[in-house]
Amino acid sequence: MPEPSRRITGIIPSGKDGWEVHFAALTRKQAGEDILMLSVGDHDFDSPAETVAACVEAVTGGAHHYVQLPGLPRLRSGMARLSTECTCVETLPEEVIVTQGGQGALFAACQAVLDPGTHAVILSPYYATYPGTVRAAGASFTEVETLAENGFEPDPAAIAAALRPETRMILINSPNNPTGAVYSRATLECIADLCRRHDLWLVSDEVYWTLASGREHVSPRALAGMKERTLVVNSLSKSHGMTGWRVGWLTGPSEIIRHLTSLNLVSSYGMNEFVSQAAIAAVENGHGVADIASRYDTRRQSFLNALHGVNGVTVRGSEGGMYVMLDISQVEPDCEAFAWGLLEGERVAVLPGTSFGSAARGHVRISMCQEEDVLHDAALRLRRYIAARRGG
């Protein structure tokens, strides 16, 4: 066949994305093995019944047609209200575009501000799709590591040192996936100052903003001079229990949103109508939001209590989101080897930290997307595995 484009083959140039442990565990679980799946960030419960009912009503009521490219007006209005709440900045509907999940919003943001030959700075650990999404825009990037011993709080001086003349964008994520770190206001003020002084875009992934239970969530969009240079990635997946529905949105200056409407014209051609109607019901009524936030806060604390006192393990970050980050380097410096060993020895699937960038080496990410009894069982198996590794 003819050669594929370098744009496509360069998204994941190594062909390895760090999720090999998860897919091996999933295959074994589907074959009937007793595998505890703590590797993926997908809710173990269904979407709220009210949201599902709204979708069924929309389907049976004839909502089968094209919608406006930036999204249904009522949905954009609802998402503008959520953005106002999330960022503490008054947001208009024309400053919002509906996307196919948070990943669609991230893709749109990178396409909006990066050109081939430009450069981005990505803070590590990061959500696994960040590098490929930047590469898909034809840009290069520098990975700036946050330090585990600092709770994965970014160092503005390290970010400044990574900037180049061709840098166009800094990409951050707070509350962070995978670490659960919630960046402080002081740190975000320093990052905002870099953006203002170097005329940079700041793309802020705030998908987990409703799950920031351990610390105040601060959106950089609210800081002085940042509304016009910040793009906020958001989604209903985590906050409203709608992972498989693929509904997200991007908030930014209205001029950028107008350009991204043109991107929708040649990519998705807009959203699904009956899913959009269900999303309206979810957004306007807050279906599931308080319950989901409370559920994950309880699970996180319960799991950490069950692991308390395990020798050789340190909890890092873990102030928000749906995950717990464990430093297991004293047990096994190679976190990928630890994850494979835990799967083989105790049939528990977790993700090695290196799936999310080099800053998370020596760590594993534990998903809280299981009931408390499963998490307690997983903590017991982790204790047993670590004790065996340490000869105790």
Side-chain angles (χ1 to χ4, degrees), residues 44 66 113-114 116 118 129 155 163 216 235 246-247 256 273-274 282-283 360 364 377:
D44 57 303
Y66 294 132
V113 304
L114 296 173
T118 59
T129 68
D155 177 5
L163 299 179
E216 176 195 18
S235 169
R246 313 310 305 129
V247 184
I256 286 288
E273 186 181 13
F274 54 84
V283 168
V364 291
D377 188 7

Side-chain angles (χ1 to χ4, degrees), residues 19-360:
W19 286 66
E20 290 77 16
V21 175
H22 166 71
F23 289 115
L26 184 61
T27 298
R28 290 172 58 174
K29 184 173 181 64
Q30 291 173 341
E33 287 192 55
D34 173 30
I35 305 288
L36 302 187
M37 298 296 298
L38 305 184
S39 50
V40 69
D42 194 356
H43 306 297
D44 57 303
F45 47 86
D46 292 337
S47 300
E50 300 92 338
T51 302
V52 176
C55 184
V56 171
E57 181 179 356
V59 169
T60 57
H64 313 147
H65 303 281
Y66 294 132
V67 304
Q68 292 91 335
L69 290 174
L72 287 174
R74 188 170 164 189
L75 182 55
R76 293 178 79 193
S77 294
M79 288 176 167
R81 288 192 296 273
L82 282 184
S83 286
T84 298
E85 183 179 348
C86 171
T87 69
C88 295
V89 177
E90 186 67 32
T91 306
L92 302 175
E94 53 265 33
E95 295 172 320
V96 167
I97 188 168
V98 186
T99 62
Q100 294 175 336
Q103 178 58 37
L106 177 66
F107 181 82
C110 290
Q111 293 292 318
V113 304
L114 296 173
D115 285 312
T118 59
H119 175 258
V121 171
I122 301 176
L123 299 190
S124 170
Y126 47 68
Y127 179 55
T129 68
Y130 286 3
T133 308
V134 171
R135 292 190 194 105
S140 63
F141 65 90
T142 297
E143 178 182 331
V144 174
E145 296 187 7
T146 60
L147 301 181
E149 55 266 34
N150 293 337
F152 296 109
E153 186 84 11
D155 177 5
I159 299 172
L163 299 179
R164 302 177 183 175
E166 66 271 25
T167 303
R168 295 281 298 279
M169 178 187 90
I170 298 173
L171 173 56
I172 67 173
N173 174 210
S174 175
N176 182 262
N177 174 15
T179 68
V182 180
Y183 300 164
S184 70
R185 181 180 293 273
T187 293
L188 292 171
E189 288 278 12
C190 291
I191 295 173
D193 182 61
L194 287 174
C195 291
R196 290 189 295 263
R197 286 194 287 116
H198 295 275
D199 195 25
L200 303 176
W201 287 97
L202 182 59
V203 176
S204 179
D205 182 347
E206 302 179 28
V207 163
Y208 292 92
W209 70 283
T210 61
L211 304 179
S213 61
R215 198 172 188 179
E216 176 195 18
H217 167 68
V218 178
S219 173
R221 186 170 182 255
L223 304 180
M226 291 304 293
K227 179 181 178 182
E228 61 267 26
R229 63 176 66 253
T230 302
L231 300 176
V232 179
V233 172
N234 231 315
S235 169
L236 300 184
S237 292
K238 314 302 184 180
S239 57
H240 292 70
M242 297 177 68
T243 52
W245 299 71
R246 313 310 305 129
V247 184
W249 74 99
L250 186 71
T251 302
S254 57
E255 182 179 356
I256 286 288
I257 299 302
R258 286 196 298 272
H259 288 305
L260 288 175
T261 300
S262 299
L263 180 66
N264 268 4
L265 176 66
V266 298
S267 57
S268 66
Y269 206 75
M271 293 293 292
N272 176 306
E273 186 181 13
F274 54 84
V275 168
S276 296
Q277 294 290 352
I280 288 171
V283 168
E284 291 184 347
N285 297 285
H287 294 322
V289 176
D291 174 68
I292 291 169
S294 174
R295 187 179 307 203
Y296 282 111
D297 185 40
T298 299
R299 288 179 177 184
R300 184 188 311 107
Q301 295 305 320
S302 179
F303 180 77
L304 291 175
N305 289 340
L307 273 186
H308 182 72
V310 176
N311 290 331
V313 174
T314 303
V315 178
R316 305 289 191 186
S318 306
E319 298 162 325
M322 299 160 54
Y323 313 102
V324 164
M325 199 72 164
L326 300 180
D327 182 341
I328 46 80
S329 57
Q330 293 185 43
V331 180
E332 168 56 74
D334 185 339
C335 59
E336 192 166 345
F338 181 96
W340 282 113
L342 183 62
L343 177 61
E344 294 301 323
E346 291 290 347
R347 300 185 304 281
V348 178
V350 301
L351 281 182
T354 47
S355 302
F356 308 96
S358 57

